[in-house]
Amino acid sequence: GNGKAAITGAFVLTGKEVNPVIKALRQSGIAVTALHSHMLEEQPRLFFMHFWANDDATKLAKGLRAALDQTNSAKEK
């Protein structure tokens, strides 16, 4: 309520994406709650980053967009 939202979720990232995504999330007040790998020998190496926050909904949406922009995710045209 009152423009606030709670978010939680996870990104699946390559090693090169991990630090830029952490930085973007933290700059927006979104906490990284876990970073780990599920597999042993996958290529490329993948990392699972979990996050959580409770703050202004617009601020959080912009923070998630900034984090997504640090990934190699396909963007709609």
Side-chain angles (χ1 to χ4, degrees):
N2 295 328
K4 289 202 164 198
I7 61 169
T8 188
F11 289 103
V12 180
L13 305 166
T14 63
K16 289 181 180 180
E17 295 170 325
V18 169
N19 285 330
V21 170
I22 287 175
K23 183 178 179 182
L25 290 173
R26 287 183 177 165
Q27 286 177 336
S28 298
I30 300 171
V32 174
T33 58
L35 177 65
H36 57 92
S37 179
H38 286 266
M39 295 158 276
L40 297 175
E41 298 181 30
E42 80 281 11
Q43 290 299 324
R45 186 94 169 115
L46 299 175
F47 296 90
F48 295 77
M49 181 184 297
H50 301 267
F51 60 85
W52 182 90
N54 182 9
D55 205 338
D56 176 75
T58 301
K59 176 184 173 186
L60 296 177
K62 288 179 180 179
L64 286 176
R65 176 78 260 171
L68 280 170
D69 287 344
Q70 300 303 312
T71 71
N72 195 27
S73 300
K75 296 173 179 63
E76 288 190 37
K77 295 178 183 182

